[in-house]
Amino acid sequence: ALARALVFVALILSSDVPGHGRDLSPILPDPKLTPGDVLPVTAADICVPGYSGKVRNVPESVKQKAYALYGITSHGPREYEVDHLISLELGGSNSIRNLWPQSYKTQPWNATVKDGLENRLHKLVCEGKVDLGTAQREIATDWVAAYKKYFGTDLPKGRSAKGVRVRGTGPAPRVTLRAPVAGMVWVNTQSGKYFRPGSRYYGKTKVGQYMTEAQALRQHYTAARN
Protein backbone atom coordinates (compact mmCIF):
# COMPACT_ATOMS: atom_id res chain seq x y z
CA ALA A 1 0.00 0.00 0.00
CA LEU A 2 2.86 2.36 0.84
CA ALA A 3 4.54 1.65 -2.49
CA ARG A 4 1.31 2.39 -4.39
CA ALA A 5 0.89 5.64 -2.46
CA LEU A 6 4.43 6.74 -3.28
CA VAL A 7 3.88 6.05 -6.99
CA PHE A 8 0.65 8.08 -6.91
CA VAL A 9 2.40 11.03 -5.25
CA ALA A 10 5.23 10.85 -7.77
CA LEU A 11 2.79 10.97 -10.66
CA ILE A 12 1.06 14.04 -9.23
CA LEU A 13 4.32 15.86 -8.59
CA SER A 14 5.73 15.04 -12.00
CA SER A 15 2.83 16.81 -13.71
CA ASP A 16 4.05 20.07 -12.17
CA VAL A 17 7.73 19.61 -12.96
CA PRO A 18 8.97 22.08 -15.60
CA GLY A 19 9.48 20.27 -18.90
CA HIS A 20 6.76 17.68 -18.30
CA GLY A 21 3.05 17.53 -19.05
CA ARG A 22 0.31 15.61 -17.30
CA ASP A 23 0.99 12.55 -19.46
CA LEU A 24 4.65 12.63 -18.32
CA SER A 25 5.84 13.35 -21.86
CA PRO A 26 8.97 15.50 -22.01
CA ILE A 27 8.34 19.00 -23.33
CA LEU A 28 12.08 19.62 -23.37
CA PRO A 29 14.20 16.62 -24.33
CA ASP A 30 16.84 15.15 -22.04
CA PRO A 31 20.08 16.90 -23.13
CA LYS A 32 22.06 13.75 -22.36
CA LEU A 33 19.92 11.71 -24.75
CA THR A 34 19.12 14.44 -27.28
CA PRO A 35 21.76 17.18 -27.34
CA GLY A 36 21.00 18.05 -30.98
CA ASP A 37 23.03 17.45 -34.12
CA VAL A 38 23.39 19.30 -37.43
CA LEU A 39 24.42 18.67 -41.02
CA PRO A 40 27.29 20.63 -42.62
CA VAL A 41 24.98 23.01 -44.47
CA THR A 42 24.62 26.77 -44.87
CA ALA A 43 21.66 29.12 -44.80
CA ALA A 44 21.73 29.10 -48.60
CA ASP A 45 21.26 25.31 -48.57
CA ILE A 46 18.30 25.20 -46.20
CA CYS A 47 16.50 28.07 -47.91
CA VAL A 48 16.10 26.16 -51.17
CA PRO A 49 12.40 25.12 -51.43
CA GLY A 50 11.98 21.41 -50.76
CA TYR A 51 15.34 21.06 -48.98
CA SER A 52 14.06 19.34 -45.83
CA GLY A 53 12.06 16.77 -47.81
CA LYS A 54 15.21 15.74 -49.67
CA VAL A 55 17.34 15.15 -46.58
CA ARG A 56 14.70 13.58 -44.33
CA ASN A 57 15.65 9.96 -43.60
CA VAL A 58 14.57 8.48 -40.28
CA PRO A 59 13.97 4.70 -40.53
CA GLU A 60 11.27 3.14 -38.39
CA SER A 61 13.96 1.30 -36.42
CA VAL A 62 15.50 4.64 -35.39
CA LYS A 63 12.10 6.00 -34.36
CA GLN A 64 11.52 2.94 -32.19
CA LYS A 65 14.94 3.47 -30.61
CA ALA A 66 13.98 7.05 -29.76
CA TYR A 67 10.79 5.85 -28.06
CA ALA A 68 12.74 3.21 -26.15
CA LEU A 69 15.35 5.71 -24.93
CA TYR A 70 12.53 7.77 -23.38
CA GLY A 71 10.76 4.77 -21.88
CA ILE A 72 7.66 5.05 -24.11
CA THR A 73 6.46 1.50 -24.70
CA SER A 74 3.10 2.25 -26.35
CA HIS A 75 1.28 5.22 -27.87
CA GLY A 76 -1.73 6.08 -29.96
CA PRO A 77 -1.79 7.47 -33.50
CA ARG A 78 -0.69 11.13 -33.67
CA GLU A 79 -0.02 11.12 -29.93
CA TYR A 80 3.67 11.78 -30.54
CA GLU A 81 6.03 12.63 -33.32
CA VAL A 82 9.66 11.58 -33.32
CA ASP A 83 10.81 15.15 -33.67
CA HIS A 84 14.10 16.64 -34.81
CA LEU A 85 15.21 18.87 -31.95
CA ILE A 86 17.03 21.06 -34.47
CA SER A 87 14.56 20.84 -37.34
CA LEU A 88 15.64 19.75 -40.80
CA GLU A 89 14.65 23.17 -42.13
CA LEU A 90 17.26 24.62 -39.77
CA GLY A 91 19.98 22.20 -40.84
CA GLY A 92 19.34 19.50 -38.24
CA SER A 93 20.48 15.94 -38.90
CA ASN A 94 18.63 12.60 -38.76
CA SER A 95 20.95 11.32 -36.02
CA ILE A 96 19.40 9.74 -32.93
CA ARG A 97 21.22 12.53 -31.05
CA ASN A 98 18.78 14.96 -32.68
CA LEU A 99 15.57 12.97 -32.17
CA TRP A 100 13.08 12.56 -29.36
CA PRO A 101 9.38 11.63 -29.01
CA GLN A 102 7.48 14.90 -28.58
CA SER A 103 3.84 14.87 -27.55
CA TYR A 104 1.01 16.62 -29.37
CA LYS A 105 -1.05 16.55 -26.18
CA THR A 106 1.01 18.35 -23.55
CA GLN A 107 -0.34 21.84 -22.82
CA PRO A 108 0.35 24.57 -23.53
CA TRP A 109 3.70 23.50 -25.06
CA ASN A 110 3.68 20.65 -27.56
CA ALA A 111 4.80 19.48 -31.00
CA THR A 112 2.29 21.70 -32.77
CA VAL A 113 3.64 24.79 -31.05
CA LYS A 114 7.27 23.83 -31.74
CA ASP A 115 6.46 23.50 -35.46
CA GLY A 116 5.37 27.13 -35.40
CA LEU A 117 8.75 28.12 -33.95
CA GLU A 118 10.59 26.09 -36.58
CA ASN A 119 8.73 27.92 -39.34
CA ARG A 120 9.40 31.30 -37.75
CA LEU A 121 13.14 30.65 -37.34
CA HIS A 122 13.47 29.27 -40.87
CA LYS A 123 11.84 32.41 -42.23
CA LEU A 124 14.07 34.70 -40.16
CA VAL A 125 17.22 32.83 -41.20
CA CYS A 126 16.26 32.96 -44.87
CA GLU A 127 15.54 36.69 -44.57
CA GLY A 128 18.99 37.22 -43.08
CA LYS A 129 17.57 38.43 -39.78
CA VAL A 130 18.91 35.57 -37.63
CA ASP A 131 22.20 33.70 -38.04
CA LEU A 132 21.73 29.98 -38.76
CA GLY A 133 24.08 28.95 -35.96
CA THR A 134 22.18 31.12 -33.48
CA ALA A 135 18.85 29.60 -34.51
CA GLN A 136 20.27 26.08 -34.17
CA ARG A 137 21.76 26.77 -30.76
CA GLU A 138 18.68 28.43 -29.30
CA ILE A 139 16.18 25.80 -30.45
CA ALA A 140 18.48 23.03 -29.18
CA THR A 141 19.13 24.66 -25.80
CA ASP A 142 15.53 25.48 -24.86
CA TRP A 143 12.93 25.65 -27.62
CA VAL A 144 10.27 27.02 -25.26
CA ALA A 145 12.50 29.96 -24.33
CA ALA A 146 13.25 30.48 -28.03
CA TYR A 147 9.54 30.52 -28.80
CA LYS A 148 8.92 33.18 -26.16
CA LYS A 149 11.80 35.25 -27.53
CA TYR A 150 10.87 35.13 -31.22
CA PHE A 151 7.11 35.39 -30.77
CA GLY A 152 7.36 37.93 -27.94
CA THR A 153 4.95 36.08 -25.65
CA ASP A 154 5.00 33.95 -22.51
CA LEU A 155 2.40 31.55 -23.93
CA PRO A 156 1.79 30.01 -27.36
CA LYS A 157 -0.14 32.36 -29.62
CA GLY A 158 -3.89 32.06 -29.06
CA ARG A 159 -3.54 29.90 -25.93
CA SER A 160 -4.39 30.42 -22.29
CA ALA A 161 -2.23 29.09 -19.45
CA LYS A 162 -4.16 25.80 -19.65
CA GLY A 163 -3.69 25.47 -23.38
CA VAL A 164 -7.24 26.55 -24.26
CA ARG A 165 -7.75 28.64 -27.40
CA VAL A 166 -8.54 32.26 -26.54
CA ARG A 167 -10.84 34.22 -28.84
CA GLY A 168 -9.42 37.39 -30.31
CA THR A 169 -5.78 36.51 -29.66
CA GLY A 170 -4.97 35.29 -33.15
CA PRO A 171 -4.45 31.82 -34.60
CA ALA A 172 -2.23 29.13 -33.16
CA PRO A 173 1.22 29.15 -34.79
CA ARG A 174 0.66 26.38 -37.35
CA VAL A 175 -2.74 27.63 -38.54
CA THR A 176 -1.52 30.07 -41.14
CA LEU A 177 -4.10 32.22 -42.92
CA ARG A 178 -1.55 34.60 -44.44
CA ALA A 179 0.60 33.77 -47.47
CA PRO A 180 2.81 30.78 -46.59
CA VAL A 181 6.58 30.66 -46.66
CA ALA A 182 7.84 29.49 -50.07
CA GLY A 183 7.68 25.72 -50.43
CA MET A 184 4.97 25.10 -47.81
CA VAL A 185 2.09 22.77 -48.54
CA TRP A 186 -1.57 23.18 -47.58
CA VAL A 187 -2.98 20.39 -45.39
CA ASN A 188 -6.68 19.54 -45.36
CA THR A 189 -6.89 18.48 -41.72
CA GLN A 190 -10.19 16.66 -42.27
CA SER A 191 -9.28 14.54 -45.30
CA GLY A 192 -5.67 13.91 -44.29
CA LYS A 193 -4.40 15.06 -47.71
CA TYR A 194 -1.99 17.88 -48.49
CA PHE A 195 -1.69 20.05 -51.60
CA ARG A 196 1.43 21.58 -53.11
CA PRO A 197 1.62 25.15 -54.45
CA GLY A 198 -0.18 25.44 -57.78
CA SER A 199 -2.74 22.78 -56.92
CA ARG A 200 -6.43 23.59 -57.43
CA TYR A 201 -7.16 23.26 -53.70
CA TYR A 202 -3.98 24.86 -52.35
CA GLY A 203 -5.11 27.06 -49.44
CA LYS A 204 -8.76 26.73 -50.46
CA THR A 205 -10.30 23.90 -48.43
CA LYS A 206 -12.67 24.92 -45.63
CA VAL A 207 -10.32 23.64 -42.96
CA GLY A 208 -6.58 23.32 -43.12
CA GLN A 209 -3.23 24.86 -42.44
CA TYR A 210 0.11 25.59 -44.04
CA MET A 211 3.21 23.67 -43.02
CA THR A 212 6.35 22.32 -44.60
CA GLU A 213 6.03 19.10 -46.56
CA ALA A 214 8.35 17.38 -44.10
CA GLN A 215 6.03 18.32 -41.22
CA ALA A 216 3.02 17.04 -43.17
CA LEU A 217 4.71 13.70 -43.84
CA ARG A 218 5.80 13.13 -40.26
CA GLN A 219 2.23 13.75 -39.14
CA HIS A 220 1.13 11.04 -41.57
CA TYR A 221 -0.67 13.27 -44.08
CA THR A 222 -0.45 12.07 -47.68
CA ALA A 223 -0.02 14.01 -50.91
CA ALA A 224 -3.18 14.60 -52.94
CA ARG A 225 -3.09 13.45 -56.55
CA ASN A 226 -4.16 16.82 -57.93
Side-chain angles (χ1 to χ4, degrees), residues 20-27 102-111:
H20 287 76
R22 293 185 181 279
D23 64 351
L24 308 184
S25 306
I27 293 173
Q102 186 177 24
S103 173
Y104 283 110
K105 296 185 176 182
T106 50
Q107 297 295 342
W109 306 101
N110 52 47

Side-chain angles (χ1 to χ4, degrees), residues 37-47 51-53 55 84-93 98 114-126 130-140 143 146 150 212 214-215 218:
D37 190 67
V38 298
L39 295 171
V41 295
T42 66
D45 295 321
I46 68 165
C47 294
Y51 163 80
S52 58
V55 299
H84 292 78
L85 176 57
I86 303 172
S87 64
L88 293 178
E89 61 190 317
L90 291 175
S93 80
N98 195 43
K114 182 172 178 288
D115 284 346
L117 172 64
E118 294 169 3
N119 293 341
R120 172 64 63 91
L121 286 175
H122 181 262
K123 184 174 186 292
L124 291 173
V125 168
C126 293
V130 174
D131 176 73
L132 177 58
T134 298
Q136 292 173 340
R137 182 176 62 256
E138 290 186 327
I139 200 170
W143 75 263
Y150 288 102
T212 65
Q215 289 168 346
R218 72 179 179 231

Side-chain angles (χ1 to χ4, degrees), residues 109 117 143-155:
W109 306 101
L117 172 64
W143 75 263
V144 173
Y147 184 99
K148 293 177 179 180
K149 174 181 177 179
Y150 288 102
F151 280 92
T153 178
D154 287 333
L155 290 171

Side-chain angles (χ1 to χ4, degrees), residues 53-68:
K54 294 179 180 178
V55 299
R56 182 174 180 80
N57 181 22
V58 182
E60 186 62 30
S61 59
V62 176
K63 293 181 181 180
Q64 293 306 315
K65 182 178 179 180
Y67 282 117

